[in-house]
Amino acid sequence: MKLLAVGSEIFPLVKTGGLADVLGALPRAVAQEGVSTVTLIPGYPSVIAESGSGEILVRFPELQGAAAQIIGTRVAGLDLLVLDAPHLYARPGGPYLDPTGSDWADNAQRFGALARVGADLASGAIPALGFDVVQAHDWQAGLLPAYLRYGGRRGPPSIMTVHNLAYQGQFPADLLGTLGLPPESFTIDGVEYFGSIGFLKAGLRCANAITTVSPSYATEILSPEMGMGLHGLFRERSGALVGILNGLDTKIWDPATDGHLAARFDAHTLIKREMNRMAAQRAAGLLEVDGRMLIGLVSRLTWQKGVDLVLECLDTVRAIGAQFIALGSGDAELQNQLERAASANPGMIGFLKGFDETMAHRIQGGADAILLPSRFEPCGLTQLAAQHYGAVPIVSKVGGLIDTVIDANEAALSVGVATGIQFAPTTADGLRTALRRAANIYADQNVWRKLQINGMQLDVSWSVPARHYASLYRHLANQSH
Ligand code: ADP
Ligand code: GLC
């Protein structure tokens, strides 16, 4: 079974969030199920830097204004097809934003090109590479199923995978020709979306199957509140929609072997977490005290993640006598507010601005609790890592957080299966109550330790999800024969 995956991030080459983790981990996971994956990604500078030993497989004389080529390479155990198009991707900074923090003005062309090349490859542009299924991840690859449908190409069955509905890739209708889409594609059954071109919408409409990254989120998005304008489409296509939970790459995230940690540990040596706690405290200028709960946040700083609610609840964090450490980057206003909170509470509240893989691991391996008060969360990997690293997740009761955290209610505590704290609704008051609940449980260290150990013993790996993906791929491939 051969799979072509197409997406805009892949760990360890380029990452802004969990999308990269999934694209980096799924190939190895499904390989165990007999699926071999080749992933098409844009040739950002960090990707090109690793592609030196690759081989040029196809040349495109013209792709959105200049020549481009596909480099086939293998990096970190991943088989990659790198779309080397310097006029589109050889730019400083992250994958999506220009140095002023706005979307690159030509993102439609940049990611339209990715999807179009993906459709070409899926339909045999490299004769030696045949694919049984193609999987498009998020809006950046969203046009791929539309190119297969409208381009007169014969391609394999396609899957549109939704990681984050908040980003849909909407662009002006007059780009239809530039994107090489025929006029007949601009209908409600094609790429048209409220008068614009909707990349994600196009994928959802044209793909043979739709997946998202947790069963609960797959149900939530059928509602107007969570469907972000697409609930009608999800309802219509609910027969083709399935939620498959993400896993954690337990090779990279293994507290017993993790080179990012100040001290490695397992469920029998939780005491060693102290070293990681101290490393995190030191890095954020916190007092190196113990006996106080250390609450961590590792997050993109966006509305989705409820960071504003955390800021509102810092008084409660102080009232329960806890320390707080945040690591994140994103929204400038949230960054400013976290900076202000840290300077107003020296030694007790710390903020590490930026994206820092090592600190992310140390906080997970040292904090007592990890906050995720998300307004919506398709899956979330942070709470998987937290549980695997013995940090108790305090999460809102939404999406994948529902499916992956076992709330410490009386029933779960009495049978000894609880791993974290869930709260609803996702409001400051909800979070305040959850923080107080956490403090009460923390006061009994034996109960707290049980939560930590239960979390560490959960299977958060890719084994089960990989089986689901592999059976979906097989089902689609068989149907098309
Ligand atoms: P999302 O993809 O919505 O951001 P996930 O929980 O699925 O949420 O994945 C987030 C990933 O990004 C995790 O691997 C997390 O450790 C990582 N991450 C988020 N913020 C940072 C940061 N500031 N520094 C390092 N890693 C981060
Ligand atoms: C998204 C979601 C997150 C999910 C990740 C990987 O960015 O916000 O919940 O875990 O993609 O699927």
Side-chain angles (χ1 to χ4, degrees), residues 385-397:
Q387 291 174 108
H388 205 56
Y389 275 51
V392 173
I394 301 175
V395 305
S396 52
K397 210 169 174 176

Side-chain angles (χ1 to χ4, degrees), residues 313-329:
C313 292
L314 287 177
D315 54 343
T316 308
V317 170
R318 277 198 305 267
I320 61 173
Q323 285 184 319
F324 176 69
I325 179 170
L327 167 67
S329 59

Side-chain angles (χ1 to χ4, degrees), residues 214 216 245-246 370-374 377 379-388 391-409 412 417-423 437 451 454-455 458-460:
S214 70
S216 286
L245 218 48
N246 285 335
I370 292 287
L371 283 186
L372 265 116
S374 306
E377 197 60 77
C379 179
L381 297 173
T382 317
Q383 82 283 5
L384 299 184
Q387 291 174 108
H388 205 56
V392 173
I394 301 175
V395 305
S396 52
K397 210 169 174 176
V398 296
L401 302 174
I402 300 175
D403 300 337
T404 56
V405 173
I406 305 171
D407 179 59
N409 53 43
V417 295
T419 66
I421 291 168
Q422 292 184 338
F423 68 92
R437 274 182 74 201
L451 295 190
N454 287 346
L458 276 188
D459 179 7
V460 294

Side-chain angles (χ1 to χ4, degrees), residues 15 17-18 21 298-300 304-305 327-328 354-356 360 380-382:
K15 166 167 166 175
D21 294 313
V298 177
S299 185
R300 288 186 294 116
Q304 170 189 353
K305 302 291 179 178
L327 167 67
F355 196 91
D356 183 336
L381 297 173
T382 317

Side-chain angles (χ1 to χ4, degrees), residues 131-381:
F131 296 103
D132 301 300
V133 180
V134 55
Q135 183 169 11
H137 291 271
D138 268 356
W139 74 264
Q140 297 90 350
L143 282 188
L144 193 158
Y147 284 123
L148 285 178
R149 184 198 279 182
Y150 294 105
R153 298 173 174 84
R154 278 181 55 85
S158 59
I159 302 172
M160 183 72 236
T161 297
V162 178
H163 297 265
N164 202 326
L165 264 191
Y167 307 97
Q168 300 187 359
Q170 252 170 281
F171 299 100
D174 59 14
L175 287 175
L176 202 66
T178 307
L179 291 169
L181 287 163
E184 69 268 21
S185 68
F186 196 69
T187 68
I188 191 159
D189 289 327
V191 307
E192 190 271 343
Y193 186 53
F194 294 112
S196 307
I197 301 168
F199 278 33
L200 181 64
K201 187 266 166 157
L204 296 173
R205 195 81 256 181
C206 300
N208 297 81
I210 301 171
T211 67
T212 187
V213 287
S214 70
S216 286
Y217 193 62
T219 305
E220 287 173 352
I221 58 180
L222 303 176
S223 74
E225 299 75 40
M226 295 297 242
M228 299 200 168
L230 289 163
H231 63 281
L233 173 44
F234 285 122
R235 278 187 200 175
E236 252 177 72
R237 298 219 60 200
S238 60
L241 166 68
V242 60
I244 303 177
L245 218 48
N246 285 335
L248 185 72
D249 190 331
T250 47
K251 255 188 140 165
I252 291 163
W253 289 94
D254 176 359
T257 58
D258 186 338
H260 290 298
L261 293 178
R264 294 175 264 287
F265 61 94
D266 60 25
H268 304 290
T269 54
L270 281 178
I271 187 74
K272 294 192 185 163
R273 297 182 86 257
E274 287 301 313
M275 303 288 288
N276 297 310
R277 166 208 288 272
M278 279 156 58
Q281 284 170 324
R282 210 170 304 135
L286 297 181
L287 295 172
E288 289 175 41
V289 290
D290 56 13
R292 281 177 186 272
M293 181 162 40
L294 176 63
I295 302 175
L297 176 85
V298 177
S299 185
R300 288 186 294 116
L301 302 178
T302 62
W303 182 83
Q304 170 189 353
K305 302 291 179 178
V307 183
D308 53 319
L309 304 178
V310 176
L311 282 155
E312 261 189 76
C313 292
L314 287 177
D315 54 343
T316 308
V317 170
R318 277 198 305 267
I320 61 173
Q323 285 184 319
F324 176 69
I325 179 170
L327 167 67
S329 59
D331 184 283
E333 182 51 32
L334 292 171
Q335 276 176 193
N336 292 342
Q337 289 183 36
L338 282 165
E339 261 160 11
R340 282 202 292 275
S343 49
N345 297 276
M348 294 304 283
I349 292 179
F351 174 44
L352 298 168
K353 184 164 84 178
F355 196 91
D356 183 336
E357 203 67 52
T358 297
M359 273 323 294
H361 287 238
R362 287 190 179 184
I363 293 173
Q364 296 280 19
D368 297 297
I370 292 287
L371 283 186
L372 265 116
S374 306
R375 291 195 164 87
F376 67 95
E377 197 60 77
C379 179
L381 297 173

